Amino acid sequence: MKRRLFFPIATLSTLLVIPFAAFKNTDPRQPVPVSITAEPGPVPGYRPRLYTPLSLGAIQPQGWLRHQLQLMKAGSTGHLDEVYHKVKQENGWLGGKGDGWEETPYWLDGALPLAYLLQDTALTNKVLTYVNWTLTNQRPSGYFGPFSKAEREEGATITPANALAGEDWWPKMVMLKVLQQYYTATGDQRVIRFMTSYFHFQAAALAIAPLGKWTEWAEARGQENILTIHWLYGITKDPKLLPLARQLQQQSFAWGKWMAGGEWIINSTTYQDAQQLMNRHAVNVAMGIKEPALQYALSGDSAWLKASKKGFNDLMKVHGLPMGIFSADEDLNGNDPTQGAELCAVVEAMFSLEQMAQLTGDPFYADALERLAFNALPTQTTDDYNNKQYFQVTNQVQVSKGVFNFSLPFEREMCNVFGMRSGYTCCLANMHQGWTKFAAQLWQHTNDGGLAALTYAPSSIKVTIGKSKQTVSITEDTQYPFEDDIRFTITCAGKVNFPLHLRIPGWCREATILLNGQPLQKAAGGQIIVLRRNWTDKDQLTLQLPSGVQTSVWGRHSRAVERGPLVYALRLPERWEKSTDAAEGVYYSIYPEQPWNFGLLQKAIEQPADSMQIRKVKAVTDSFVWNLAHAPIEITVPARQIPGWIATNGVAHQPVNDRTGLYRGPVADTISSITLIPYGCTKVRVVAFPVVK
């Protein structure tokens, strides 16, 4: 048996040494900021990101990924302003008295890239209504956003000296990300002038109206603000920007320092009350994990890279779930397979990992990103993208109203069902960025003048590259993550010399690269290789990533079955029931139609290659949907039923195991052959299995 966590413990050899004095005389519920000391190395200072996404629209998603985006356009992503009253009615981001906080920018943060990815004129015109209103209604001082109460009711003029007449910094951080994407799609110079003016205003206003003046959300999420400053500085080199970034860092939660130390992750498990809640609010955490990588880019201090890796590994060891996300229901809540994960946390963690991979060049984060995208993300929405599930559960043996094992909230009982407005509607607005940003960042520019594929999915690009600025088209033909081969076809006029960076995933023991059908080289997993050569028209490069079946160890001694970037869960026929809640509208419950209470045989866990059978049962066509009917791969595994493993109030509490990881209670005499399918294709399932003799 290969006993491993997805996030290797070996990486913890890079732990920082924290002086004991750092932990004296502190509130045990408050994460302890610790010193970051640079190692000898690069001169401290601004570092441009190693990988920069292509302009929005330069990547054309193909195959199953394009169909996913088309479903989103036809569903709520393309029409949220028509079906959701909070965005629809008197919207503050169009000058009205309605929503002026986070939900409209959240929606645009996914709807705008979707419009440009699909080159859809109607959706583009729709989202540009909000973009243009925002750009044209910036105040002379640089302040922007919906008209504040003081502006509407008192005729106030917002200046740095009168910054308290404005409102919360947080939703503006999201809109800045929307405008950044709009600029990469269009090159509209209004964005550069707009952001420059706003950041100058912000630098002057923070003394009067610090980040935490209105809400803790801005303090907890200040790195989102800093991220846009880092991007703008890369374009303008405005000397006022980096001091502003440092100013914001001082007023924001110290995620990087907490991740470098040990108290934060310890306290997140020890104290589960309402004290210091924002420090373990899992969406805050999902955003905060990129802070040390961003601080590395701003300072050049390599200790931040260690803090990033250590903190992420600690987080996943203590709170990690098999589908690649940490528990988030709504707080960090341990690694028991009954814990949930909020959809907002999934998409925000994806965005953070995208940034971490680009800022650091570490393929570790791209591995983690794919695990999230191909497992946790697709299971949490309906096929038509009109209904979402606020909390998914790892071992989810039913989807229904109930209390479940969540840290919040209990009394509403709507956090596990699928509905447009079930649970909290932040996820209804925010879920759209997951697939769109993943698709928009499949290809990167490199700082050595080349191209990079850090994550994989069917797509095509057309760019100018090389010293001669030649036009190059690349088609990426693959059914990945459901197949092992990725085929790149290069189209160009004559020879073009540029480096091509390819990530070899950490789960792949050894990759093979073929050029025009002939072996070119082999490469071990867990690295980014660089192919430097003269490329010619119709060159065909094939990346082969053998993915054997493996097992991994998770909470309560449970075991998950994996193959490549995919995690596999028990296939259970589903029975859907439609209901209506007086406050939250139509919702769906889902129940299994077959027994789910199985433990995997110890022999299968120890020798998965010999005991498990892999079958490709369906082709992944251009009409693929993440559901039972389209699941393309099955793995059959020997198991025994555990009669005493039953759900209580819909929660399948894990059977007790001994120190060897075995369940010692009564099991069925007969061995059953159970079928596993990709986790992302399931709605009810078991993925973290007990082990039986």
Side-chain angles (χ1 to χ4, degrees), residues 321-323 329 336-343 375-382 388-401 404-406 414-418 568-576 588-597 628 645-654 679-689:
L321 303 173
M323 61 281 201
D329 57 19
D336 194 293
T338 59
Q339 298 313 136
E342 182 181 339
L343 181 51
N375 297 285
L377 178 61
T379 189
Q380 215 156 350
T381 56
T382 52
K388 55 87 180 127
Q389 186 185 34
Y390 191 56
F391 294 150
Q392 64 173 289
V393 177
T394 310
N395 282 354
Q396 186 165 270
V397 299
Q398 71 182 55
V399 171
S400 64
K401 291 185 70 171
F404 290 87
N405 220 29
F406 309 141
M414 288 288 288
C415 288
N416 183 240
V417 297
F418 281 84
Y568 285 76
L570 180 63
R571 181 184 186 117
L572 291 170
E574 303 164 353
R575 174 170 54 87
W576 289 59
Y588 296 89
S589 304
I590 310 171
Y591 301 93
E593 294 276 68
Q594 289 180 1
W596 52 264
N597 53 346
L628 286 180
W645 190 17
I646 59 175
T648 304
N649 295 325
V651 180
H653 295 286
Q654 203 75 0
Y679 179 99
C681 293
T682 67
K683 291 294 187 286
V684 287
R685 60 183 166 257
V686 173
V687 64
F689 289 91

Side-chain angles (χ1 to χ4, degrees), residues 126-139:
K126 178 181 288 193
V127 298
L128 289 187
T129 304
Y130 298 84
V131 168
N132 285 320
W133 186 91
T134 300
L135 291 173
T136 57
N137 284 277
Q138 186 174 32
R139 316 321 186 252

Side-chain angles (χ1 to χ4, degrees), residues 260-507:
E263 286 290 295
W264 170 64
I265 201 66
I266 293 171
N267 289 344
S268 70
T269 61
T270 305
Y271 302 105
Q272 290 288 320
D273 56 21
Q275 301 299 312
Q276 303 298 333
L277 173 63
M278 296 291 278
N279 298 332
R280 66 175 193 277
H281 184 282
V283 179
N284 291 347
V285 174
M287 297 180 185
I289 56 175
K290 62 178 166 289
E291 200 255 5
L294 182 56
Q295 293 309 322
Y296 164 73
L298 289 166
S299 69
D301 187 338
S302 61
W304 290 113
L305 297 177
K306 294 182 179 181
S308 179
K309 186 69 71 69
K310 174 191 181 298
F312 192 69
N313 270 293
D314 286 354
L315 179 64
M316 292 304 296
K317 276 206 308 178
V318 175
H319 299 290
L321 303 173
M323 61 281 201
I325 189 65
F326 38 83
S327 58
D329 57 19
E330 286 187 349
D331 313 329
L332 297 176
N333 204 13
N335 61 8
D336 194 293
T338 59
Q339 298 313 136
E342 182 181 339
L343 181 51
C344 274
V346 172
V347 297
E348 292 294 353
M350 285 178 60
F351 178 68
S352 288
L353 289 164
E354 287 158 358
Q355 303 306 305
M356 293 157 76
Q358 294 162 21
L359 290 165
T360 68
D362 192 334
F364 171 85
Y365 300 119
D367 285 358
L369 168 61
E370 284 193 347
R371 191 178 185 97
L372 267 176
F374 299 144
N375 297 285
L377 178 61
T379 189
Q380 215 156 350
T381 56
T382 52
D383 294 350
D384 59 8
Y385 225 77
N386 285 330
N387 296 277
K388 55 87 180 127
Q389 186 185 34
Y390 191 56
F391 294 150
Q392 64 173 289
V393 177
T394 310
N395 282 354
Q396 186 165 270
V397 299
Q398 71 182 55
V399 171
S400 64
K401 291 185 70 171
V403 171
F404 290 87
N405 220 29
F406 309 141
S407 64
L408 183 85
F410 293 148
E411 69 278 1
R412 297 176 66 178
E413 297 192 358
M414 288 288 288
C415 288
N416 183 240
V417 297
F418 281 84
M420 179 169 284
R421 293 183 287 118
S422 59
Y424 288 114
T425 52
C426 55
C427 294
L428 172 63
N430 196 22
M431 65 185 185
H432 314 284
Q433 70 163 310
W435 282 123
T436 54
K437 289 184 179 178
F438 179 80
Q441 299 183 72
L442 287 170
W443 288 90
Q444 320 278 329
H445 290 296
T446 67
N447 60 6
D448 61 359
L451 291 169
L454 301 185
T455 51
Y456 301 114
S459 60
S460 63
I461 60 172
K462 186 175 183 180
V463 295
T464 56
I465 201 166
K467 294 180 180 179
S468 59
K469 299 296 182 184
Q470 289 179 261
T471 298
V472 174
S473 297
I474 302 179
T475 299
E476 181 178 351
D477 175 28
T478 185
Q479 293 181 4
Y480 188 89
F482 306 108
E483 72 163 327
D484 297 345
D485 289 2
I486 303 164
R487 296 163 291 277
F488 304 96
T489 300
I490 297 171
T491 303
C492 55
K495 294 182 178 180
V496 183
N497 187 286
F498 65 89
L500 179 61
H501 296 220
L502 299 175
R503 165 182 140 266
I504 311 300
W507 49 258

Side-chain angles (χ1 to χ4, degrees), residues 541-559:
L541 189 74
T542 301
L543 176 62
Q544 297 177 336
L545 302 171
S547 57
V549 63
Q550 303 177 63
T551 62
S552 52
V553 184
W554 297 91
R556 300 292 298 273
H557 295 291
S558 62
R559 302 297 192 273

